[in-house]
């Protein structure tokens, strides 16, 4: 090698990456697999859920590619049914539900509280192992020939098809335990490890969001457990609980399923809203607007979320009175969601906005979540839902909320906390190009599906009328752009691990406690007892050129 | 509130290996029981909805539910009383009372599971298996889910009893005994609800 000394001026002194931290405290695979450190468990969750995201994404691209032509393109109809089922099941149960609480929540929650760890570190590790076991069962069903029921496992088809439904639903059953244990751990941690000076209304809003999420995880997930057990029992014993041919009631399954799975939608979006509530004020250099409203709206969404499940079933033949009540309740959920959006916008108003990558994803979130939320009103209204039910309109709607909402927030949060997690700054330029490609690709993919759906294209169809081909092709090309954008974002993140500038303690000028410790944090999180103040007061922070980060004044 | 550790680190938890702060265990147990309440509530509601659709309940020709269920109910109640007595004893500082109470609770729990197994085998021999019809399925589902949770409680009870016999609890420190007591009572209440639903409605 001709050049030996590549040392840059910034790395000549002992930078943060060279200090003892949770990453270099011990080495070897075993030290990770037996760790009790919430930060390492968060990283384990991050790696495993992103692997699931990649897997689900591959299924999605295969589905979109198949839909390039009105008839068979690259796979037969049976394979296609399995592809969209696996896409949905993997994305929902293996990726979105565990991702933000498991990865970002585990990493950030105790540090935000100034604590050393969660209340029950062993239980925390157990919940990751349960996630892995459940995920392996689900993946086993793919090897056993896949599942072709759609991710909702609707009966009676799911009890009569000869695909690997039992393996997949048993995996979902196990994943539920993981979710419940994480919820128990987070609520106990927030109650018992919160410092005395941090009352409920001085907590960062992400903690309110994770707390509300945990309530849903604890109260709704057991119902999914019973549902999956009944489904498995019906398949194994041939008993007609849900199959009308055997005297059962398929609508009962739908009630059970959505009693969990609608609240589960809020398990997916509430932590995302919490992430956005952290990013927006930091990059607007302005105190969060309407703290209490955002905090209470998380709780309100958690409560309302339990009362609206039957809006997935308006066309199933419920009584008109029941559909009207559920429709009205559905509209009421729009209120706390809108409260959050308006408070984020009011926070940005008059701020000095810095469009760094995390902020781009956060602003992108508000845009796509706005569309996702507003199109939900057409589906909540009985008259329009009858027309739009089971069309691409609903596919577009929930992708705007789940992908444009939850996933945008996850990626934004990842870029935001990445310097804290791994002690490296991400190259802004490539990350920003990654965002813009993802943003454009996402909207091309799914906005065209709104149009498809409102023109009558049913969801999940293998063949379609030639008149829909143009919009289907547009959607597919959009999904390729989206995949490139996400790939570029992943490259930007991974590149930083090897070539990124060492991160200062506080690169963004945030005031919550995780930014007052080193990047990455030491194993015990803080070298001295942190004092919690207002997590959104940025007046005491000033840019320091020498560390390329923010420091406390004076 | 907190004390600095020798290394200068903070001490809201001394180490990851040390127990969580006081009150964490009872709170976590409460949350866990809330989840279990939803689980059992969903299964009982499922039972009632399945039943409501059937023209005849139980279907004609079903064997009568064994009288052993009443005996099992008494045994379960006695188990609850025994573990409550154990908790009362350790609160007074009586190690002997604690061990006696826990040993009795352990024996009664095993007896309950044995009685349930006998009840199931009686029913199965009379033709009512889980796969026979919806009545059979619903009966085994409720009693089976309950029994599975009793088995889980038995594991805890064994650990707590073993620790009690090693002298691990005192009048001022007995979180395991308290948790075992609360969980045992919870399952007794669940059983009474199920019993009422299956027999009396």
């Amino acid at each position: 090698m001709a050049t030996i000394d590549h040392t840059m001026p910034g790395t000549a002194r002992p930078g943060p990456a060279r200090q003892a931290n949770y990453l270099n405290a011990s080495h070897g695979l075993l030290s990770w697999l037996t760790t009790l450190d919430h930060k390492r468990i968060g990283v384990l969750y991050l790696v495993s859920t992103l692997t699931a995201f990649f897997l689900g994404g591959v299924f999605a691209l295969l589905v979109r590619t198949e839909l390039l032509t009105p008839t068979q393109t690259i796979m037969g109809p049976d394979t296609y049914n399995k592809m969209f089922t696996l896409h949905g099941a993997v994305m929902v149960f293996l990726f979105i539900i565990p991702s933000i609480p498991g990865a970002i929540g585990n990493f950030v929650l105790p540090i935000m509280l100034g604590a050393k760890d969660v209340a029950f570190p062993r239980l925390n590790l157990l919940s990751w192992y349960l996630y892995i076991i459940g995920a392996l069962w689900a993946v086993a069903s793919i090897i056993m020939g896949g599942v072709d029921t759609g991710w909702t496992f609707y009966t009676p088809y799911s009890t009569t098809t000869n695909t690997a439904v039992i393996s997949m639903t048993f995996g979902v059953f196990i994943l539920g335990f993981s979710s419940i244990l994480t919820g128990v751990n987070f609520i106990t941690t927030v109650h018992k490890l919160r410092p005395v000076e941090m009352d409920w209304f001085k907590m960062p809003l992400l903690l309110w969001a994770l707390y509300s999420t945990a309530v849903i995880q604890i109260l709704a997930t057991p119902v999914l457990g019973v549902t999956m057990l009944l489904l498995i029992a019906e398949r194994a014993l041939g008993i007609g609980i849900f199959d009308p041919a055997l005297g059962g009631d398929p609508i009962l399954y739908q009630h059970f399923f959505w009693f969990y799975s609608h609240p589960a939608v809020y398990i997916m979006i509430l932590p995302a809203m919490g992430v956005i509530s952290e990013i927006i004020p930091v990059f607007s250099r302005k105190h969060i607007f309407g703290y209490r409203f955002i905090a209470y709206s998380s709780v309100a969404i958690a409560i309302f979320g339990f009362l609206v499940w039957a809006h997935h079933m308006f066309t199933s033949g419920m009584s008109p009175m029941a559909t009207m009540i559920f429709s009205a309740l559905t509209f009421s959920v729009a209120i706390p969601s809108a409260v959050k959006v308006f408070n984020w916008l009011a926070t940005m108003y008059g701020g000095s906005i810095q469009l760094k990558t995390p902020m781009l994803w956060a602003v992108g979130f508000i845009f796509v979540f706005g569309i996702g939320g507003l199109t939900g009103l057409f589906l909540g209204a009985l008259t329009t839902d009858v027309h739009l039910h089971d069309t691409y309109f609903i596919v577009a709607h929930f992708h705007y909320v789940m992908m444009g909402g939850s996933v945008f927030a996850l990626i934004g949060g990842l870029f935001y906390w990445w310097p804290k997690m791994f002690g490296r700054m991400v190259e802004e330029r490539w990350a920003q190009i990654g965002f813009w490609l993802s943003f454009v690709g996402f909207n091309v993919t799914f906005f065209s599906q709104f149009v498809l759906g409102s023109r009558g294209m049913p969801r999940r169809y293998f063949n379609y009328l030639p008149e829909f081909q143009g919009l289907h092709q547009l959607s597919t090309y959009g999904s390729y752009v989206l995949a490139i954008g996400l790939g570029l974002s992943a490259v930007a993140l991974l590149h930083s691990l090897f070539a990124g500038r060492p991160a200062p303690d506080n690169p963004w000028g945030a005031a919550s406690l995780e930014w007052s410790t080193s990047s990455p944090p030491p194993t015990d999180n803080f070298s001295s007892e942190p004092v919690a103040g207002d997590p959104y007061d940025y007046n005491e922070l000033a840019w320091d050129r020498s560390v390329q980060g923010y420091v406390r004044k004076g | 509130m907190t004390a600095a550790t020798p290394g200068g680190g903070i001490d809201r938890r001394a180490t990851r290996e040390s127990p969580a702060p006081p009150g964490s265990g009872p709170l976590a147990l409460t949350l866990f029981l809330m989840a279990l309440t939803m689980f059992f509530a969903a299964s009982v509601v499922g039972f009632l909805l399945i039943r409501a659709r059937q023209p005849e309940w139980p279907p004609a020709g079903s064997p009568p539910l064994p009288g052993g269920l009443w005996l099992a109910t008494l045994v379960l109640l006695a188990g609850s009383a025994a573990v409550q007595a154990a908790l009362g004893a350790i609160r007074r500082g009586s190690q002997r009372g604690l061990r006696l109470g826990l040993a009795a609770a352990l024996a009664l729990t095993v007896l309950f599971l044995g009685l349930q197994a006998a009840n199931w085998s009686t029913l199965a021999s009379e033709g009512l298996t889980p796969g026979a019809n919806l009545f059979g399925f619903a009966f085994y589902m409720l009693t089976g889910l309950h029994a599975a949770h009793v088995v889980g409680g038995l594991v805890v009870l064994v650990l707590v009893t073993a620790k009690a016999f090693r002298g691990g609890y005192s009048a001022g420190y007995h979180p395991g005994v308290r948790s075992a007591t609360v969980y045992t009572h919870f399952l007794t209440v669940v059983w009474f609800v199920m019993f009422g639903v299956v027999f009396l409605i």
Side-chain angles (χ1 to χ4, degrees):
Chain A
M1 297 281 282
T3 51
I4 296 164
D5 189 13
H6 269 308
T7 320
M8 282 157 53
T11 54
R13 63 205 153 74
R18 297 190 176 190
Q19 293 167 359
N21 60 53
Y22 82 100
L23 290 171
N24 62 20
S26 54
H27 296 280
L29 187 63
L30 200 64
S31 78
W32 281 85
L33 294 180
T34 59
T35 185
L36 297 179
D37 185 338
H38 68 97
K39 299 181 290 299
R40 285 190 166 201
I41 294 171
V43 173
L44 290 174
Y45 263 111
L46 184 65
V47 173
S48 35
T49 53
L50 289 181
T51 306
F53 183 38
F54 178 77
L55 188 66
V58 170
F59 290 135
L61 290 175
L62 290 170
V63 166
R64 280 315 321 166
T65 303
E66 167 54 39
L67 291 168
L68 273 172
T69 65
T71 53
Q72 181 161 335
T73 313
I74 55 165
M75 61 181 86
D78 290 332
T79 312
Y80 170 81
N81 288 348
K82 288 173 184 170
M83 285 299 135
F84 74 68
T85 301
L86 295 171
H87 164 67
V90 167
M91 285 297 197
V92 169
F93 295 112
L94 271 60
F95 169 54
I96 305 181
I97 288 179
S99 65
I100 296 185
I104 291 179
N106 256 320
F107 191 94
V108 175
L109 179 135
I111 317 186
M112 275 187 161
L113 292 167
K116 272 188 181 175
D117 209 302
V118 293
F120 306 107
R122 282 190 178 80
L123 196 66
N124 202 19
L125 183 64
L126 174 65
S127 69
W128 180 72
Y129 274 104
L130 287 173
Y131 168 83
I132 291 296
I133 294 168
L136 288 178
W137 271 97
V139 171
S141 75
I142 300 173
I143 298 162
M144 290 157 67
V147 184
D148 64 350
T149 59
W151 75 276
T152 50
F153 314 121
Y154 266 22
T155 55
Y157 185 68
S158 58
T159 54
T160 49
T161 174
N162 59 3
T163 52
V165 176
I166 289 185
S167 167
M168 176 63 91
T169 48
F170 189 67
V172 169
F173 180 75
I174 305 259
L175 289 168
F177 282 94
S178 166
S179 195
I180 292 171
L181 293 185
T182 301
V184 168
N185 221 335
F186 282 5
I187 289 187
T188 311
T189 306
V190 169
H191 274 278
K192 297 296 174 189
L193 290 170
R194 202 154 30 88
V196 278
E197 71 273 14
M198 186 191 285
D199 66 24
W200 283 93
F201 296 100
K202 284 187 189 148
M203 288 200 309
L205 287 162
L206 176 64
L207 299 187
W208 276 92
L210 287 171
Y211 188 96
S212 307
T213 308
V215 171
I216 310 175
Q217 286 175 307
I218 289 170
L219 293 182
T221 316
V223 180
L224 179 74
V226 172
T227 315
M228 292 298 119
L229 284 182
L230 290 176
L231 186 59
I232 292 170
E234 168 144 355
R235 271 191 77 94
L237 297 171
I239 285 288
I241 311 160
F242 302 126
D243 187 350
L246 297 168
D249 181 4
I251 304 300
L252 176 62
Y253 175 83
Q254 296 187 19
H255 278 294
F256 263 121
F257 182 81
W258 289 114
F259 186 86
Y260 165 75
S261 290
H262 194 80
V265 169
Y266 299 107
I267 294 178
M268 303 183 226
I269 197 66
L270 270 174
M273 291 168 157
V275 168
I276 300 303
S277 302
E278 297 304 315
I279 295 177
I280 295 278
V282 169
F283 292 92
S284 302
R285 308 308 305 151
K286 205 167 148 254
H287 195 283
I288 189 90
F289 184 87
Y291 175 97
R292 277 178 191 249
F293 278 94
I294 298 180
Y296 282 132
S297 65
S298 290
V299 180
I301 288 173
I303 295 168
F304 280 127
F306 277 98
L307 306 174
V308 301
W309 76 90
H311 70 209
H312 296 269
M313 305 158 56
F314 283 156
T315 60
S316 70
M318 287 188 298
S319 78
M321 179 57 91
T323 56
M324 278 191 277
I325 291 169
F326 278 110
S327 176
L329 287 167
T330 300
F331 286 126
S332 68
V333 186
I335 298 168
S337 310
V339 162
K340 283 185 193 289
V341 170
F342 287 125
N343 279 305
W344 293 326
L345 294 178
T347 303
M348 290 172 69
Y349 180 77
S352 62
I353 292 169
Q354 301 170 343
L355 284 178
K356 300 273 178 59
T357 311
M359 185 62 164
L360 283 175
W361 285 98
V363 176
F365 171 97
I366 296 179
F367 181 83
V368 293
F369 180 75
I371 294 178
L374 290 171
T375 51
L377 297 177
F378 297 97
L379 298 166
L382 296 171
T383 43
T384 40
D385 182 65
V386 171
H387 174 68
L388 297 170
H389 186 81
D390 264 349
T391 68
Y392 266 74
F393 192 91
I394 196 137
V395 177
H397 160 71
F398 69 69
H399 279 91
Y400 263 86
V401 182
M402 301 287 83
M403 161 108 212
S406 306
V407 180
F408 272 37
L410 171 72
I411 299 173
L414 208 48
F415 276 103
Y416 178 63
W417 280 293
W418 191 266
K420 186 56 65 184
M421 286 176 160
F422 300 106
R424 296 287 173 172
M425 297 305 290
V426 181
E427 180 68 48
E428 274 289 323
R429 184 193 312 175
W430 290 106
Q432 296 203 4
I433 294 172
F435 164 77
W436 283 110
L437 285 174
S438 305
F439 183 76
V440 171
F442 172 83
N443 283 291
V444 171
T445 308
F446 294 109
F447 202 86
S448 51
Q449 296 186 8
F450 277 127
V451 183
L452 275 172
S454 64
R455 291 183 185 176
M457 171 73 211
R459 71 191 286 199
R460 293 179 173 170
Y461 274 32
F462 177 69
N463 290 336
Y464 54 83
L465 297 175
E467 70 204 60
F468 293 127
Q469 188 173 13
L471 285 165
H472 264 303
Q473 289 187 337
L474 189 62
S475 178
T476 300
Y477 297 140
S479 72
Y480 297 156
V481 176
L482 174 59
I484 294 169
L486 291 173
L488 203 55
S489 302
V491 169
L493 289 172
L494 292 174
H495 173 261
S496 78
L497 293 181
F498 303 102
R501 168 170 73 82
D505 293 356
N506 192 354
W508 315 121
S512 45
L513 284 179
E514 75 272 28
W515 303 104
S516 65
T517 187
S518 55
S519 302
T523 304
D524 285 342
N525 291 345
F526 297 94
S527 54
S528 60
E529 172 95 27
V531 180
D534 184 337
Y536 300 105
D537 179 9
Y538 308 119
N539 291 325
E540 297 303 308
L541 296 160
W543 177 258
D544 182 345
R545 270 181 71 92
S546 66
V547 296
Q548 288 290 300
Y550 286 80
V551 293
R552 292 229 164 248
K553 289 177 189 168
Chain B
M1 175 196 67
T2 55
T5 52
I10 58 151
D11 192 18
R12 199 146 332 113
R13 286 271 319 274
T15 64
R16 291 194 167 85
E17 285 73 21
S18 69
S24 300
L27 175 59
L29 181 65
T30 306
L31 295 169
F32 177 64
L33 292 185
M34 283 164 70
L36 273 188
T37 303
M38 290 301 288
F39 183 83
F40 284 117
S43 41
V44 167
V45 168
F47 176 92
L48 292 174
L49 290 171
I50 290 170
R51 187 195 154 155
R53 283 178 57 85
Q54 302 307 313
E56 198 181 11
W57 193 272
S62 301
L65 292 178
L69 286 170
W70 290 93
L71 185 57
T73 306
L74 277 179
V75 168
L76 199 64
L77 203 55
S80 248
V83 75
Q84 182 65 42
L87 179 65
I90 191 63
R91 278 180 178 159
R92 291 190 309 274
S94 162
Q95 295 288 344
R96 190 170 167 278
L98 171 72
R99 289 169 194 175
L100 210 61
L102 285 177
L106 202 55
L108 288 164
T109 307
V110 173
L111 179 61
F112 171 79
L113 289 170
L115 284 170
Q116 289 297 72
N119 289 333
W120 290 328
S121 97
T122 307
L123 270 181
S125 69
E126 290 168 1
L128 192 70
T129 57
N133 53 34
L134 274 177
F135 177 66
F137 172 76
F139 174 79
Y140 284 96
M141 172 189 79
L142 285 190
T143 53
L145 288 179
H146 179 264
H149 288 83
V150 174
V151 170
L154 189 63
V155 174
V156 176
L157 207 52
V158 165
L159 295 174
V160 169
T161 308
K163 189 165 174 180
F165 275 84
R166 289 197 309 268
Y169 297 115
S170 64
Y173 176 82
H174 48 266
V177 183
R178 186 193 166 278
S179 299
T181 307
V182 172
Y183 184 75
T184 306
H185 290 340
F186 173 81
L187 284 184
T188 303
V189 171
V190 167
W191 176 254
F192 272 88
V193 173
M194 287 182 171
F195 197 70
V197 166
V198 175
F199 265 116
L200 306 176
I201 296 179

